[in-house]
Amino acid sequence: MTRGKIYSIALFVMLLFLGVHTYGKYSSFGAVDVCYDASATGVCTGEDTLKLSIQDVKSEKPVAPAPQKQPAKAFSSMSGRDSLLVTYGFASVKQEDTTWMKWSAQESEKEDSVSNRLLDSLQYAGLAAMSAKELRRHQRDSIHTLKDSLIRATPRVLDSRPFSDSIMFKRVFLWKNDTWFNTMESVKHDTLYNTHFRDLPYLRNDVGAEYLGVSGSPMQYYNFFNREQTQLFPFFDVYKPYTYTPDDVVHYNTKTPYTELGYWGTFFINREQEESNLRIMHTQNVSPAFNFQVMYERKGARGIMQRESTDHRTFLFSVNYLGKKYTAHAGYMFSRVKRNENGGMVDPWWVKDTTVDARTIPVNLKDASSEYYRTTVWLSHSLKIPFKFMNRKASHAGDSLPANSLYDSLSRESEKKFASARARTSTAPEFDGKALMEIDDWDGTTAYLGHYFEYTKYARNYRDEIPLDDETGRAFYNNRFYINPTNSADSVNSVNVENRVYLRMQPWKMGSAVSNLDVGIGYQFLKFFTFSPEYFLTGTQRPNETNGFLYFGANGMVKKYFSWQGFAKYNFSGYNSGDININGAMRFSAYPNSGGVHFIAKIDFRNERPSYFYNNLVTNHNVWLNDFEKMTNTKIEAKVNIPDYRFEVSAGYALLKNNIYLNEYADACQNSDAMSVFSAYLRKDFKIGILMLENRFLFQTSSDEKVMPLPKFSVNLRYYLEFSAVKNVLKMQIGADGTWNTKYYKSAYAPNIGLFYNQRQREYGGDPDIDFFVNMQWKRASIFVKFENALMGVTTKDYFSADLYLRPQRAVRMGIFWPFYIKHTKQLW
């Protein structure tokens, strides 16, 4: 093993030990948290709810609680905790309520007549025998004990505006924040092995992708509708599948501290080709409404061929506050990518017609490297301004109610409303599996005044040294050296400082046909840098641009059967003056079965100016001095999803005009002719006993393959046997995972600008890539072992991830994902 890999494993083991040791002692909420699976597998899922009955804690299964003898003093002195136990554990079952109350009254009567007098006499006798120093220590310890008992006895329950009160019953719930109006979209918390078996982004989000064969390297999805573009800094697009933006960050609210540890890497392979990926995430609530999260990810490897080592690191620190009137999300993100660039192999003949070690294959660049940096700081917050003060929710009663009150922190009237809210949110409308909106509290007319701030800086540096006698390296860049004949030192960067202020109006209530009407205004300050020869005379300059824009939004729903949303943005001044973006979505649902049948339709129209860098870029090997016209992009998508039948089908149509592409010389060009792209996707899974057949198909066609080359057919098949090796402990999958696509002109990669470009010399495809695997769910831990590219060399040798770049060769890959949270022992308190 390499030294770096040993350090990564040692860090993972150390954090694992510290996490287990710490979680065994401390709890931020003082509440019992039991994770169980309602199925017979015994596997814990992220959607587990709190079960707070004594019997639940002892058996770790959702069984009916039975009375157990404990001193009645413990219940009478801890009214808040007792009520929380009753409310969460079995408040909805009248028989259990009556049993508990009768038993508590009997025990209390017995204790009052005998136990208390005996206990008091013993305590007084013990105090009389203490010295003055011992009495002071006893008094101090008693005060600390009282404080601790009060903290443990106080229910710390979230009561927040953005989410319904049903989330009080969740151990942990997740969401993403739409920064335009500070709205939240629920995210499913899935910690099971099916999710973490796919360790690369394209395996989770698409049927396939073009990338450089190394984890953390530039990537471009096959599916045109999954590709995202960043107008501010297009060089970021190839890394977006790996990292995050403020709109992509997942936020948490947890009843107990929660940690995720993950490690993925290759074993039994040449030391020079080893891959090591690490993920560490910790989140916990300081208070019921305030949460923080720390996350670190490292992806990369030394590479398959010479000089393609990749080191991709991301650090995230975020906080969120979910108050009744004020909500906020803020954070800091830093991403860095360091790559040795080799330009791919000199000729694919070395793979197709010979059998040699990949490390011995000649590459185009012998001394080249690139670095990419991104820093983001953001704040998204809003304040609620109710107009109908008489419609405010009834305030919750505190812990001053008698101990025998069934709900000492929740009134019966509020509980009825909670049940109603849970019924509505259990079938909340979703777009692409995410909740479109959350059911708010039952206020009437309300306004939300919000603000968003973001500071983001992007930077990319590239350097190479290509001597005059290096014919291979000079031919790779088409003998184009505009600044220096042998050395390159290119740098581009941009800065975005953005502020938005908006007003969200809730005319009636959440869940109505028109739930929200939104309006906002924003201002962008932009700064760019790219080299220009005139800087030799004038000195370095950094052009500044500004943008002023208005944006609008609206959404609504009719119960669980129909929902819609719309958004529009118009730039009225600055660099992007006149740009328009209009998009909308709607969802129809029917419920012939529990999961329902859902139809989703989307439309997105954009008319916008190309990125600054497509018109202004000077590097040693490429010079773009253009005056491109505005681009027009119209997308229409439709999808049908039937979760209970594991069926999903979708189709998309895009009409493009003046779209930008990179030609065979990696120069930016504009396609003045209108063109179209059609895409169809089908997913259908079958279960035959213990045999599972997962099928994903993608069909795409482009009206101009020279501008937009796409694989016509792409397939991902995952067939395996699924069974319980140890009941309620270990569940296993054994099978194969394969990908395949038809031949097409795969994109090439330009290291000096960090972008994919079109090439028309070589077609790739028609050869399957098959991995054999064992995938396991061991209690909470997800573990897999893959034998990658098992058929390498058996069929043809056309296994390229991009033009001149190899996909992973035959190797053993292992991964482990382990979530941790506090889990109490058999003692309830």
Side-chain angles (χ1 to χ4, degrees), residues 277-345:
N277 303 313
L278 181 69
R279 170 183 167 84
I280 303 171
M281 191 282 293
H282 175 78
T283 181
Q284 70 179 70
N285 274 58
V286 179
S287 71
F290 183 77
N291 173 278
F292 74 89
Q293 172 191 183
V294 181
M295 187 270 291
Y296 170 81
E297 290 184 344
R298 190 267 180 185
K299 305 178 183 69
R302 291 179 175 267
I304 302 169
M305 300 183 293
Q306 304 175 48
R307 295 196 52 79
E308 62 174 358
S309 63
T310 303
D311 187 356
H312 188 154
R313 306 188 181 210
T314 299
F315 172 80
L316 166 68
F317 176 78
S318 68
V319 297
N320 68 78
Y321 179 82
L322 302 179
K324 291 179 65 61
K325 292 187 177 181
Y326 178 76
T327 61
H329 300 78
Y332 166 81
M333 271 188 297
F334 176 77
S335 296
R336 187 210 69 188
V337 184
K338 290 186 176 182
R339 270 187 56 84
N340 282 336
E341 305 286 2
N342 62 12
M345 65 182 65

Side-chain angles (χ1 to χ4, degrees), residues 396-407:
H396 292 169
D399 285 336
S400 59
L401 295 180
N404 62 354
S405 174
L406 181 59
Y407 310 108

Side-chain angles (χ1 to χ4, degrees), residues 246 249 316 318 329-333 376-380 452-454:
V249 172
L316 166 68
S318 68
H329 300 78
Y332 166 81
M333 271 188 297
T376 299
V377 178
W378 83 96
L379 169 64
S380 176
Y452 175 73
F453 166 80
E454 178 184 334

Side-chain angles (χ1 to χ4, degrees), residues 745-784:
Y745 291 100
K746 280 194 174 182
S747 298
Y749 178 74
N752 63 314
I753 56 177
L755 294 173
F756 288 99
Y757 66 94
N758 296 344
Q759 61 85 24
R760 303 294 297 177
Q761 297 181 5
R762 293 168 289 271
E763 284 188 298
Y764 299 93
D767 205 26
D769 181 10
I770 299 179
D771 303 337
F772 294 113
F773 68 86
V774 176
N775 193 24
M776 297 169 283
Q777 183 76 47
W778 176 46
K779 293 188 175 180
R780 295 182 216 154
S782 302
I783 306 170
F784 71 79

Side-chain angles (χ1 to χ4, degrees), residues 241-258:
Y242 298 100
T243 185
Y244 311 91
T245 65
D247 289 298
D248 299 328
V249 172
V250 175
H251 299 274
Y252 293 79
N253 187 282
T254 67
K255 299 296 186 293
T256 60
Y258 176 73

